[in-house]
Amino acid sequence: RNCTFDELVEAYYEQCVGLVDGGADILIVETIFDTLNAKAAVYAVNEFLEDAKVDIPLFISGTLVDASGRTLSGQTGEGFYASIRHAKPMCVGLNCALGAAAMAPFLKRLSDCAECFVHVYSNAGLPNAMGGYDDTPADMARENVEFAKNGWVNMMGGCCGSTPPHIAAIYDACKVYKPRPLPVLGPPRMWLSGLEDFKVDADTYNNCGLPFVNVGERCNIAGSRKFKRLIMEGKYGELMDIAKDQVEAGAHVVDINVDDGMLDGLAAMQKFVKMAVTEPDVSKAPFMIDSSKFDIVLAGLKWNQGKAIVNSISLKVGEKLFIEHATLLRKHGAAVVVMAFDEKGQAATKEDKVRICKRSYDLLVAPPVCFPPEDIVFDPNILTIGTGIEEHNAYGVDFIDAVKTIKEQCPWCKISGGVSNLSFGFRGVNVVRESIHAYFLYHAAIRSGMDMGIVNAAEMLAMDDLDEDLLELCTDAVLNRRDTVTEDLTEMSQWFFDCKTAKKEGTAPPKRPRFCKKQPRVIFDWEKNYVPKVQTEPPLPASDFARDHVPNDYVYDGLDTPRVVAARAKRPSVETSQFADLRTTWTQKPDTYPAGFPYFVRGRDSVRSYISELFQTRITMYDGAMGTMIQKHKLEEDAFRAERFKDWDMLIKGNNDLLSISQPAIIKGIYEKYLVDGGSQLIGTNTFSSTTIAQADYKMESLVYELNYDSARLAREICDEVTAKDPTKPRFVVGAIGPTNRTASISPDVNDPTTRNCTFDELVEAYYEQCVGLVDGGADILIVETIFDTLNAKAAVYAVNEFLEDAKVDIPLFISGTLVDASGRTLSGQTGEGFYASIRHAKPMCVGLNCALGAAAMAPFLKRLSDCAECFVHVYSNAGLPNAMGGYDDTPADMARENVEFAKNGWVNMMGGCCGS
């Protein structure tokens, strides 16, 4: 080029100063044969008026150079008007190049579209062989009067060849006619232009029949490997073919993005735009100047004569710079894409998308920016679904929902997005990707009002083009209807790959996977007429004692079934025991405390009924970690042994459960701290490993009954002491049944997956014996906790129910699972829902999660469990994740802050803490 936009602006600005200083009332940019020059002049005028702080009307006059009705730079009259419309000229029109008769059809079209006054000043005909003009004043008057008769103009004059007599003749011929009335303005609409104008309105449809603007992605380094290769090689001529093919394939707008670390983006953008505007088959469409760098965007705009869209700006840079960028783009007349991105980062959730877009909108439409709302295009971030990460599954439906809300809250705005982002997980399988896009766009455009998107127009599919099975899969994926759809789409993608390979190799194609549309099933009257039941308590176990809420009498002396007798055979003598008696009766006198909630008396009141009312009255506090509190005492080997075990033939430090026998004062003190300082109303016993299976590591299988009995009894005694001080808050002993150090579902031998180091029956036997000791020691409730292998838990549940059947009492059962990492699965591979379904038959009174994760990481899985559980729900998380030293760093304030979300969301009935608390 022999001049730049900035050089033109500088020259025009200087001219404005002289004209206004000399007394000009109005400024006119005239005889426009290159609209980019005119845009530079308009920019200069507006800069001058802003500096001068005055209002001087601006007229703009274009020149169509021949019978094609286009400017020398190729624009139609409508394209020219759309390009300079942002300047809000008071009057727009045509002058020069043609005589009035030849100008008539083009003036009519400009008059039909212009929202301001319209003028014309034609030549006195066409020049003769000598360069002169032959039309007489009468000739000019006769031809110009048609403009007045038709009501096309407000101002008339003459250009080349005209003289004062010509003007006088035109006046005399036209003075009886009324000027063109200003048109009634319709609703605001985006009006873009390349060589031709393009309105985004109710009549805009794409090649798939959607009310949607196709923004072609193939001139984007991120959207086409071929484009990237050619631009790196400097083959700009071949790049024009890519651009032309997009327009022919149905792109309404051509996206241009040359952002790459190995490319001089500023130079590449300028060269590409300068070449593209000279290619009519490309530049007839508007451009989207696309870059993450604002200087590149600005450079592209300054070589584009049409009205373009800039992609993009955002609040990521802060409000001050955001406003500066937006103001500059308004002055250049560009529409703008605004990313849902702020100082805190990219919006992923519906709520964040809406919040950031509404904040951006309010800044843009208000002073000092005053951006036309119809030229604001929000990109609320189309993010990838089908990645295998659960949190990503809702990205499609969240976008669709966000679009509708944004458009409701931000009148006249547009919504766009990079559609190919949605299906990145299936790169290389275009039929799968475009099927996902087709279903997504159908819903986003039809249901929510998405206006445009960056797409591969040539590959787009309409909804009617989709195979039935792919349509069903895409529906599930986009609307997040089921968790397993990613695996199914992956299988389908692999089939397409395999078919391509088979075709290359000349072999038979594999069988297509079957994903059939779900068909309706027969529904019977008893199903149709079912009325959902409002629960007043969790589902009840099968026993009559539970169903009738028979209070447990806490009298176990008479239990004489073989398995109870066998367990009690391991009881120590009174001389050996720390207690003066080995009582197994814990009933209280009926008048110990007043009748009715919140009071409770053992033997008089049903624990099940009381807990049911308690858990529906307030969120109840469980205790925290026993191990954390024991570690604070820094006990060495001799403390674990005490006098009784001083001669034990192996190291026993680390057997924390043994401390209930060897250091009872410490254990009882820990119980008391949780009850008094922590406010716990339920406390778990120090019996996590008190089974024959776990105690075999220390050769202490014979102590199992005593471990459970002593721990439960210590808890019973301190609970009763604390309750006596405030009977309105009775304390309950929860007999803790841990997972053991052996698993029934997982092989200890990596070479043989069938190997197990325990059987179901062995686990049942061990857990039954533990139940006897816990209940004999005074436990009110039993909890099977820290379940990382559900088969172990099922054995524990079986043992508990066998014991309760033998004892003929109702003791509520709680069950607590452990999800070992961010996958949300147990160590044996089950999801939270799978775990619940596996133990649901036990009719637990309360089910929940504990250990392994901190509260924040536990949140999505606790929500899912809360959504499916039919009983009460609890949680006791770790104090964050362990640090490098194996400790836990979360402070009480940290745990409170993260756990309060569970309560706010109404997911829980009981809360406590696990490791580190």
Side-chain angles (χ1 to χ4, degrees), residues 377-433:
V377 185
F378 288 116
D379 183 340
N381 306 321
I382 297 178
L383 303 174
T384 307
I385 61 174
T387 63
I389 299 172
E390 185 182 358
E391 290 80 1
H392 297 179
N393 292 347
Y395 282 163
V397 71
D398 277 358
F399 181 91
I400 292 169
D401 290 343
V403 166
K404 189 172 185 181
T405 305
I406 292 165
K407 294 207 68 168
E408 287 169 347
Q409 295 186 13
C410 305
W412 308 114
C413 78
K414 306 292 182 287
I415 303 289
S416 181
V419 178
S420 60
N421 294 348
L422 187 72
S423 63
F424 271 157
F426 303 98
R427 284 189 298 275
V429 193
N430 273 358
V431 66
V432 171
R433 296 192 69 183

Side-chain angles (χ1 to χ4, degrees), residues 64 99 162 198 257 265 270 317 398 435-436 470 485 595 695 699 733 761 803 877 911:
L64 308 180
S162 63
F198 174 61
N257 182 294
Q270 293 182 88
V317 297
D398 277 358
S435 297
I436 293 171
L470 261 180
V485 68
Q695 288 300 315
K699 301 180 184 178
V733 177
D761 293 338
F803 170 74
S877 69
M911 299 173 72

Side-chain angles (χ1 to χ4, degrees), residues 242-312:
I242 293 177
K244 183 172 72 172
D245 290 345
Q246 285 190 98
V247 177
E248 288 177 355
H252 300 104
V253 177
V254 176
D255 182 67
I256 306 167
N257 182 294
V258 294
D259 285 355
D260 188 276
M262 302 301 290
L263 188 67
D264 181 350
L266 194 65
M269 176 63 81
Q270 293 182 88
K271 184 168 184 178
F272 186 95
V273 173
K274 284 192 279 188
M275 283 196 69
V277 296
T278 66
E279 295 283 343
D281 290 335
V282 176
S283 59
K284 66 181 181 181
F287 293 163
M288 177 178 278
I289 311 295
D290 186 351
S291 178
S292 60
K293 298 170 182 172
F294 194 72
D295 59 336
I296 294 179
V297 161
L298 215 51
L301 273 183
K302 289 177 180 180
W303 293 114
N304 175 54
Q305 68 171 335
K307 180 181 177 73
I309 305 172
V310 162
N311 187 2
S312 61

Side-chain angles (χ1 to χ4, degrees), residues 288-349:
M288 177 178 278
I289 311 295
D290 186 351
S291 178
S292 60
K293 298 170 182 172
F294 194 72
D295 59 336
I296 294 179
V297 161
L298 215 51
L301 273 183
K302 289 177 180 180
W303 293 114
N304 175 54
Q305 68 171 335
K307 180 181 177 73
I309 305 172
V310 162
N311 187 2
S312 61
I313 62 172
S314 77
L315 282 165
K316 177 172 62 174
V317 297
E319 280 191 12
K320 184 174 183 291
L321 196 52
F322 175 75
I323 287 171
E324 286 179 18
H325 287 170
T327 303
L328 199 51
L329 295 180
R330 174 181 56 74
K331 290 178 178 182
H332 280 278
V336 65
V337 175
V338 181
M339 298 296 296
F341 211 123
D342 67 4
E343 299 89 340
K344 295 178 182 177
Q346 184 182 52
T349 65

Side-chain angles (χ1 to χ4, degrees), residues 446-460:
I446 300 296
R447 195 177 103 191
S448 294
M450 183 180 179
D451 304 274
M452 62 181 66
I454 300 176
V455 297
N456 183 351
E459 299 287 340
M460 291 180 77

Side-chain angles (χ1 to χ4, degrees), residues 507-521:
T507 57
K511 185 178 178 182
R512 184 175 179 131
R514 294 186 66 185
F515 300 107
C516 301
K517 185 176 181 179
K518 297 177 180 70
Q519 302 302 323
R521 62 179 180 82

